Amino acid sequence: MPAVEIVEVAARDGLQNENSVVSTAAKLELIDRAIRAGARRLEVTSFVNPARVPQMADAEAVVAGLPRRDDVTYIALVLNRRGAERALASGVDELGAVCVASDTFGIRNQGQTAAESLAVACETVALARAAGRTAQITIATAFGCPFEGEVPIDRVVEMAKRAADAQPREVALADTIGVAVPAQVTEAVTLVAEAIAPLPVRAHFHDTRNTAIANVWAAIGAGARVIDAALGGLGGCPFAPGASGNVATEDVLYLLDRSGIATGYDRALAIDTASWLTGLIGRDLSGKVRCAPPFPPAHGEAGPRG
Amino acid sequence: MPAVEIVEVAARDGLQNENSVVSTAAKLELIDRAIRAGARRLEVTSFVNPARVPQMADAEAVVAGLPRRDDVTYIALVLNRRGAERALASGVDELGAVCVASDTFGIRNQGQTAAESLAVACETVALARAAGRTAQITIATAFGCPFEGEVPIDRVVEMAKRAADAQPREVALADTIGVAVPAQVTEAVTLVAEAIAPLPVRAHFHDTRNTAIANVWAAIGAGARVIDAALGGLGGCPFAPGASGNVATEDVLYLLDRSGIATGYDRALAIDTASWLTGLIGRDLSGKVRCAPPFPPAHGEAGPRG
């Protein structure tokens, strides 16, 4: 089986969706721990309006504090030209641009229609390329919108084609609200991979309805080789007990390790970091492998974890 | 897509693995609610040693109290001849026999080696058939053992063949401890389906490591048309916060509904029953769809559930 790259998004998509604001030092510790567990590409922050997203107000400080390593790529999310300029000035390796497949969600989330968000994303890639940096484009709500419901696959494929024209590093399909099912993922990844070849497809899932691991597996089966995940499953809404955020990195590692797919991660270290994160956030996180006995068992007996 | 039959196991595998003992009346209410939600085949109890499994001590009373319906099949689990005789005397429709793919687990769980458990399971089928009842055989720990680790697929296929020789209604592969991954499920269900054709394969998954929905999808993709599930995801170990039991019926319904696969269930009623169950058990259950907003949204807006 081919190797899969996991993009660790806990420090950005995870923390951005937590109610509590975490210190810059704690974010840097999270990033350092993730790298020690094997992460080599990480979303570390977003350059967005601090009045709207106070969790990411320290974007410049986070980037300034990152360990300098030639073997690690740091991504910062941006939603407009001002964010892109801040991100480029910070020196971060890669820009993550986000367009939205649903007009209603786009207007509510970032004040842009689908078409406007796509134009901004393409402009962001051009700015990054002009500055000698890479950038990628994520299509948010690619599998469903909380306001409009089903999102037509044709619209997503068309947006992916136009995004690919801007020459990003890759195009990501994001299940922003965790509604996707694997049959849908198989179809979408297959069609988008055909439409943007030779650019790779990246996939981003939330586990809100318990389908994220199935969707990861379907995406890989359809050709995706880059998967987003957050340690612990960080990013659940703190107002809804049991609600889930991103698919948990350590759960993806269990799936891939036992399927013979290399990721470069150490699962035990990822579980340690997920456990540390529960302490940092002060609540239980939704990842499950962290809470389960190890398998295969260490000494012929069920042990404590993972 | 073909229709899939869900066997509702909350009243047996769910409650048997909960610490608290639920009253016979509450069990019968659970069964009644499950039927109203669409269940037409249900594991309702097990005829086992009440000293070892006090949760199932009222097996005869549960069967005596079941609503009499021609369109519903009730299954009782048995592990030996005495259990089979009690079950047949109770008048339950169908016997569920369990053999174990791992000697160590078999000896610890039911005092039988793998070979002994298979012989007892085949004898159970013969007793049921002689009494004009149906019976099925489940192969437990088919995807891994907490003591022995990996279980060779050849052993499972060989056991399935011998089980099929007894002419059960079907042969089920059970991931008793929730370790399976979808690649493994695809292989096992494909090989077992070939080995026991025309008998159907049934599949039983626990969500301990977040792989159960992926495994359900893989099993269906490989030809399984009967899937076990428990409302709410009942059956987690009460000593491990966040630990998961059976795959949640309502989560399976979300997967299948959005994939265009008919089950005969009403998802909203299943979610209602899962919510009622959290009150009965007195703790949060692991199913996720119950805690999520409905999708597609009811009125173009995110609503409260499902």
Side-chain angles (χ1 to χ4, degrees):
Chain A
M1 293 291 285
V4 163
E5 178 184 50
I6 297 177
V7 178
E8 175 55 52
V9 302
R12 204 288 301 172
D13 198 24
L15 290 177
Q16 184 164 330
N17 288 293
E18 292 289 332
N19 222 18
S20 50
V21 175
V22 167
S23 73
T24 306
K27 290 177 183 179
L28 292 170
E29 181 170 358
L30 167 58
I31 291 163
D32 187 58
R33 285 174 178 263
I35 292 170
R36 277 189 274 143
R40 291 295 176 268
R41 196 164 164 222
L42 302 91
E43 265 191 16
V44 292
T45 189
S46 54
F47 287 88
V48 290
N49 185 343
R52 287 201 62 195
V53 188
Q55 297 94 332
M56 298 288 121
D58 60 352
E60 275 85 358
V62 167
V63 174
L66 292 170
R68 292 170 190 268
R69 294 181 56 140
D70 289 343
D71 59 343
V72 175
T73 300
Y74 300 113
I75 309 171
L77 196 113
V78 304
L79 297 179
N80 52 37
R81 187 177 183 110
R82 163 137 181 76
E85 288 168 346
R86 284 176 61 203
L88 290 172
S90 79
V92 74
D93 299 316
E94 184 170 317
L95 269 55
V98 181
C99 62
V100 181
S102 142
D103 282 329
T104 313
F105 190 89
I107 290 166
R108 296 202 187 198
N109 187 61
Q110 58 206 64
Q112 297 164 339
T113 64
E116 288 165 354
S117 70
L118 181 58
V120 170
C122 292
E123 184 197 15
T124 299
V125 175
L127 287 170
R129 289 171 58 87
R133 294 324 148 73
T134 55
Q136 49 85 21
I137 296 179
T138 294
I139 303 178
T141 64
F143 300 95
C145 166
F147 311 108
E148 298 182 10
E150 300 288 353
V151 167
I153 181 73
D154 293 349
R155 189 194 299 168
V156 175
V157 173
E158 188 57 32
M159 289 186 80
K161 266 189 210 166
R162 290 172 182 274
D165 289 341
Q167 300 182 57
R169 173 171 175 167
E170 71 213 348
V171 175
L173 301 182
D175 185 20
T176 310
I177 58 167
V179 294
V181 291
Q184 187 185 15
V185 172
T186 299
E187 184 185 17
V189 172
T190 301
L191 292 175
V192 168
E194 284 170 11
I196 69 169
L199 280 187
V201 179
R202 174 174 154 192
H204 177 105
F205 298 110
H206 284 239
D207 203 18
T208 316
R209 290 164 184 84
N210 210 1
T211 57
I213 289 289
N215 292 337
V216 166
W217 189 242
I220 292 171
R225 292 292 173 268
V226 188
I227 300 292
D228 287 2
L231 285 157
L234 198 67
C237 173
F239 303 111
S244 299
N246 291 274
V247 65
T249 304
E250 65 275 17
D251 292 4
V252 174
L253 293 177
Y254 180 82
L255 169 76
L256 299 185
D257 286 353
R258 283 207 73 228
S259 305
I261 297 178
T263 61
Y265 274 70
D266 179 316
R267 189 161 94 234
L269 285 179
I271 290 170
D272 282 347
T273 300
S275 298
W276 169 83
L277 254 177
T278 64
L280 180 71
I281 300 299
R283 68 177 181 89
D284 201 21
L285 296 172
S286 65
K288 287 190 171 168
V289 164
R290 173 176 52 86
C291 307
F295 188 84
H299 303 292
E301 287 287 336
R305 277 185 336 167
Chain B
M1 292 291 285
V4 163
E5 178 183 51
I6 296 177
V7 178
E8 175 55 50
V9 302
R12 204 287 301 171
D13 197 25
L15 291 177
Q16 184 164 331
N17 288 293
E18 291 290 332
N19 221 16
S20 51
V21 176
V22 166
S23 73
T24 306
K27 290 177 182 178
L28 291 170
E29 181 171 358
L30 166 57
I31 290 162
D32 188 58
R33 285 174 178 263
I35 292 170
R36 277 189 276 144
R40 291 295 175 268
R41 196 165 165 221
L42 303 92
E43 264 190 19
V44 292
T45 189
S46 55
F47 288 89
V48 289
N49 184 343
R52 287 201 62 195
V53 188
Q55 295 94 332
M56 299 288 122
D58 61 351
E60 275 85 359
V62 168
V63 175
L66 292 170
R68 292 170 190 268
R69 293 180 58 139
D70 290 342
D71 59 344
V72 175
T73 301
Y74 300 113
I75 308 171
L77 196 112
V78 303
L79 296 179
N80 52 37
R81 187 179 182 108
R82 163 133 181 78
E85 288 167 349
R86 282 175 62 203
L88 291 170
S90 78
V92 74
D93 300 315
E94 184 170 317
L95 270 54
V98 180
C99 62
V100 181
S102 143
D103 282 328
T104 313
F105 190 89
I107 290 165
R108 296 202 187 196
N109 187 61
Q110 58 206 64
Q112 298 163 340
T113 64
E116 287 165 355
S117 69
L118 180 59
V120 171
C122 292
E123 183 197 17
T124 300
V125 176
L127 287 170
R129 288 169 60 86
R133 290 332 142 75
T134 55
Q136 49 84 21
I137 296 179
T138 293
I139 303 177
T141 64
F143 299 95
C145 165
F147 310 108
E148 298 182 12
E150 301 289 353
V151 168
I153 181 72
D154 293 350
R155 188 194 301 168
V156 175
V157 173
E158 188 57 34
M159 288 186 80
K161 265 189 211 166
R162 289 171 183 272
D165 289 341
Q167 300 181 57
R169 173 171 175 169
E170 71 213 349
V171 175
L173 301 182
D175 184 20
T176 311
I177 57 167
V179 294
V181 291
Q184 186 186 16
V185 172
T186 299
E187 184 185 16
V189 171
T190 301
L191 291 175
V192 168
E194 284 170 11
I196 69 168
L199 279 187
V201 179
R202 174 175 156 192
H204 177 106
F205 298 109
H206 286 240
D207 203 19
T208 316
R209 289 165 186 83
N210 210 0
T211 57
I213 290 289
N215 293 336
V216 166
W217 190 242
I220 291 171
R225 292 293 172 267
V226 188
I227 300 291
D228 288 3
L231 285 157
L234 198 66
C237 172
F239 302 111
S244 300
N246 290 274
V247 66
T249 303
E250 64 275 18
D251 291 5
V252 174
L253 293 176
Y254 180 82
L255 170 76
L256 299 185
D257 287 352
R258 282 207 73 229
S259 306
I261 297 178
T263 61
Y265 275 70
D266 179 317
R267 189 160 95 235
L269 286 179
I271 289 171
D272 283 346
T273 301
S275 298
W276 170 83
L277 254 178
T278 64
L280 180 71
I281 300 299
R283 68 175 181 92
D284 201 21
L285 294 172
S286 66
K288 286 190 169 165
V289 164
R290 173 176 52 85
C291 306
F295 188 85
H299 303 291
E301 288 286 337
R305 277 184 339 166

